[in-house]
Amino acid sequence: MTGSTARVTVSGDDRIASSLTWRAPAVAPPTDRDGARKRAATALSQGRLYADADSAIPLYLALLRQSPGDEVAQAGLHRALTALLQSGDEALASADDDIDALRRAHEIAAVARTTAGGESHVQAYLRRVDLADRLWDLNREAEQDLRAGHLGESGAGAMAKLRAVLHLRPGQPRALQGLAAVESGLIRRAEEAAQRGDFADEARW
């Protein structure tokens, strides 16, 4: 079957693709419903979930548009969504320090939100994506502060942002690495102050 492909459109900041929309590929109303169910089930078993008109989610959606009470299609769409969100959680597991994984998590969020945005397990996934965004932004801003020498000794700067990350996700390796860099910077400043004979500054650092 030849069909259209799905469209995922980025709007806003492409660094994280913070706002994505998904348009399901066009699927003609099935004339052979049993055949369409089989194609959808095969696509699901092969992990082809949403990329084109032969993928599981677009096929199940087409079946349900034609016959909303189709219990087989309803169950299939539920399984496809479960697989989709599992794939999203796998992406989120790497998203702390992998921007490509975070983008993939966003793409999956767009598909899930368009397909079943009101369902509780989709809403829970969207909240996990929001948290991943927040952690990414805090870490990125902290790393910018570090490069600029704003360590956070006065309460702002890198230290506060990294502590906020660790409050939201205790033990996150990226934030812990950042705190180690802050500590090294403070020790270096103390050593430089001692070399100048500025012992008050040394004690402060």
Side-chain angles (χ1 to χ4, degrees):
M1 174 180 175
T2 301
S4 65
T5 57
R7 294 184 181 181
V8 177
T9 304
V10 180
S11 62
D13 182 1
D14 187 47
R15 178 184 51 78
I16 292 183
S18 59
S19 178
L20 291 173
T21 59
W22 180 70
R23 181 179 300 172
V27 178
T31 56
D32 177 6
R33 293 186 62 81
D34 286 340
R37 289 191 194 102
K38 289 178 182 177
R39 291 200 309 276
T42 297
L44 176 55
S45 69
Q46 295 174 349
R48 295 186 289 108
L49 299 178
Y50 63 88
D52 55 38
D54 284 320
S55 299
I57 289 175
L59 285 168
Y60 284 128
L61 289 175
L63 285 163
L64 290 168
R65 280 194 299 270
Q66 190 180 62
S67 180
D70 185 337
E71 293 182 357
V72 173
Q74 289 172 352
L77 182 61
H78 179 77
R79 291 195 299 273
L81 276 170
T82 298
L84 180 72
L85 297 181
Q86 287 174 346
S87 179
D89 281 334
E90 290 170 5
L92 286 175
S94 302
D96 283 348
D97 54 10
D98 184 345
I99 190 64
D100 290 331
L102 186 53
R103 288 193 179 110
R104 174 161 171 73
H106 269 275
E107 181 174 318
I108 289 168
V111 178
R113 185 170 53 239
T114 300
T115 303
E119 294 195 11
S120 60
H121 61 312
V122 172
Q123 289 293 314
Y125 174 73
L126 296 178
R127 288 193 292 271
R128 292 195 291 276
V129 174
D130 287 342
L131 175 60
D133 281 348
R134 177 65 176 149
L135 297 175
W136 183 279
D137 284 339
L138 284 167
N139 274 310
R140 179 178 58 87
E141 292 166 7
E143 288 156 5
Q144 290 173 342
D145 285 339
L146 276 167
R147 287 192 292 272
H150 303 150
L151 302 183
E153 63 278 3
S154 61
M159 189 181 300
K161 295 180 177 75
L162 294 167
R163 285 176 173 168
V165 172
L166 293 170
H167 175 74
L168 293 168
R169 181 164 293 167
Q172 191 205 55
R174 182 176 177 182
L176 290 174
Q177 184 178 12
L179 275 181
V182 169
E183 181 179 324
S184 295
L186 293 173
I187 290 171
R188 183 169 57 253
R189 289 183 180 180
E191 291 171 343
E192 291 170 353
Q195 290 171 0
R196 295 192 305 270
D198 187 345
F199 299 113
D201 223 17
E202 177 193 14
R204 182 166 71 92
W205 296 124

